[in-house]
Amino acid sequence: MDINSDTKLYCLIGHPISKSLSPYIHNFSFNKNNINAKYLAFEVDKYKLKDCISGIKALDIKGFNVTIPHKVDIINYLDDISEEAKLIGAVNTVKNVNGKLIGYNTDGLGFIKSLYDKKIDLEGKNVLILGSGGASRAISMMLAKEGVRKIHILNRTIDKAKKLINDIKKNFPKIEYSYSNLAEFNINNQQDIDIIINCTSVGMYPDENEIPLDIKFINQNTIVYDIIYKPLKTKFLKKAEEKGCLIINGLKMLIYQALISEEIWLNKKLDLENIVMALEKQDFLLKNRNY
Ligand code: ATR
């Protein structure tokens, strides 16, 4: 669609943003849905955040995404935040409603949607989460909200796993929790894991030969999810697939979190499944397969 005086601007702010796929995903979706809008990525470091928000308000930009390092600090500039953003303690999507900035978090929602897409029911499940960073926090909070039975978190830095568990427990006290050091994990006390989710960066390009957890801990009935999408099939997923596990990569979560942001900005339901299918065939995403 051509740019004209009615074209709306949406954007990403963060640092660094040069490798972001968000502009591709949003501009593709805007085009496909005949929405007169464009999406740009702006390099904004922590010193420029305040001015950036003033600029967004002055130009009446209707919505934007927030990435590293602003996902927590942005909350200081917002008028309100959604239930998910409150739970997670971080915001990745902001909507400008008549000058008031409302924060949302679509990372966890995108993850959950990608599981429901595969008809995976979460209620009563026993989940093992690797990592305790921002992505792990969003995902584990949403898993708790969806009614899993048990959450075990493994992390290299044990104190961070403990803190995350304590934060989830405050909101969801009925779930069974445990945590341990990633290097000291012992399968003996972790039978019957339904889903393992790698939320660490271990195995990500350019370190594709690394694996976050020894595959001997995984049985073939476990669903193995790696939120990494570069490469699309990490060594962890390859090994799990060889064992016969159902594997899921991070591409759908990435696309869904972006499209759910768009639904919030536009205040309308999009045909998510159709856009995802079309997007998955696009060159800019397929190129990831080369990594
Ligand atoms: P994101 O926003 O993608 O979640 P993050 O908040 O920096 O990124 O979190 C990265 C996660 O990967 C953390 O759990 C980190 O472990 P620490 O808390 O011990 O730092 C984990 N991680 C990164 N590199 C790792 C490595 N080489 N081995 C094990 N875990 C690693």
Side-chain angles (χ1 to χ4, degrees):
M1 192 177 267
D2 289 339
I3 293 176
N4 57 33
S5 55
D6 290 327
T7 306
K8 297 280 178 278
L9 175 66
Y10 293 87
C11 63
L12 168 69
I13 60 169
H15 175 72
I17 43 88
S18 66
K19 295 271 185 284
S20 171
L21 291 173
S22 296
Y24 294 104
I25 296 173
H26 287 292
N27 287 315
F28 178 87
S29 170
F30 287 153
N31 261 339
K32 190 169 165 54
N33 292 297
N34 275 321
I35 294 160
N36 189 2
K38 297 287 171 203
Y39 186 101
L40 294 178
F42 292 118
E43 196 69 62
V44 176
D45 65 22
K46 64 176 181 179
Y47 305 104
K48 287 197 268 173
L49 184 60
K50 190 166 180 242
D51 285 349
C52 169
I53 300 302
S54 303
I56 283 173
K57 282 188 167 175
L59 296 175
D60 199 26
I61 288 175
K62 297 294 180 198
F64 59 100
N65 286 126
V66 183
T67 189
I68 290 166
H70 309 309
K71 284 187 177 186
V72 176
D73 292 343
I74 188 75
I75 294 173
N76 298 321
Y77 300 92
L78 304 177
D79 296 289
D80 201 0
I81 61 172
S82 71
E83 187 200 342
E84 284 84 14
K86 226 171 264 168
L87 276 175
I88 296 164
V91 160
N92 78 329
T93 301
V94 179
K95 181 173 180 170
N96 181 350
V97 185
N98 303 322
K100 297 240 177 297
L101 299 185
I102 319 292
Y104 300 82
N105 193 309
T106 66
D107 288 330
L109 294 172
F111 170 80
I112 298 293
K113 171 97 184 112
S114 71
L115 285 178
Y116 286 143
D117 226 27
K118 296 222 179 259
K119 313 264 183 288
I120 296 165
D121 188 16
L122 292 167
E123 211 178 321
K125 293 288 190 308
N126 179 5
V127 296
L128 173 62
I129 297 167
L130 315 181
S132 305
S136 168
R137 176 170 287 268
I139 285 172
S140 46
M141 281 288 181
M142 289 301 106
L143 284 168
K145 191 165 179 264
E146 289 302 302
V148 297
R149 175 172 54 87
K150 188 165 181 196
I151 294 180
H152 186 90
I153 297 184
L154 297 182
N155 200 44
R156 177 178 59 180
T157 313
I158 190 84
D159 287 352
K160 280 168 73 181
K162 184 178 176 187
K163 173 158 191 346
L164 178 53
I165 290 278
N166 283 336
D167 290 347
I168 311 171
K169 215 188 242 176
K170 277 182 217 149
N171 294 289
F172 303 98
K174 289 190 182 141
I175 296 173
E176 282 177 61
Y177 296 99
S178 52
Y179 61 91
S180 42
N181 192 303
L182 188 55
E184 290 162 10
F185 180 66
N186 182 347
I187 195 68
N188 294 334
N189 52 23
Q190 280 303 315
Q191 299 298 327
D192 303 326
I193 294 163
D194 297 301
I195 311 173
I196 297 186
I197 305 136
N198 178 35
C199 300
T200 74
S201 47
V202 180
M204 194 195 292
Y205 173 85
D207 299 314
E208 301 109 308
N209 272 326
E210 291 179 12
I211 190 157
L213 184 73
D214 196 322
I215 213 72
K216 73 178 181 211
F217 293 127
I218 299 174
N219 75 54
Q220 62 167 20
N221 300 320
T222 304
I223 297 165
V224 180
Y225 197 129
D226 197 327
I227 67 163
I228 292 172
Y229 55 86
K230 262 183 192 181
L232 282 176
K233 206 182 274 181
T234 56
K235 186 170 177 184
F236 189 45
L237 287 188
K238 279 185 198 154
K239 295 265 180 206
E241 191 176 43
E242 280 164 24
K243 251 197 164 165
C245 302
L246 171 65
I247 60 163
I248 309 175
N249 67 35
L251 190 58
K252 279 230 170 94
M253 174 181 167
L254 171 82
I255 300 175
Y256 276 133
Q257 61 78 26
L259 296 180
I260 297 170
S261 297
E262 241 175 69
E263 288 190 325
I264 291 168
W265 295 329
L266 304 170
N267 200 22
K268 73 173 189 182
K269 286 274 163 222
L270 298 171
D271 184 352
L272 298 184
E273 284 76 16
N274 236 326
I275 307 170
V276 167
M277 257 164 46
L279 262 166
E280 284 183 322
K281 293 185 197 127
Q282 296 305 302
D283 265 0
F284 63 86
L285 289 175
L286 290 174
K287 262 191 257 160
N288 285 309
R289 291 180 208 277
N290 300 332
Y291 285 97

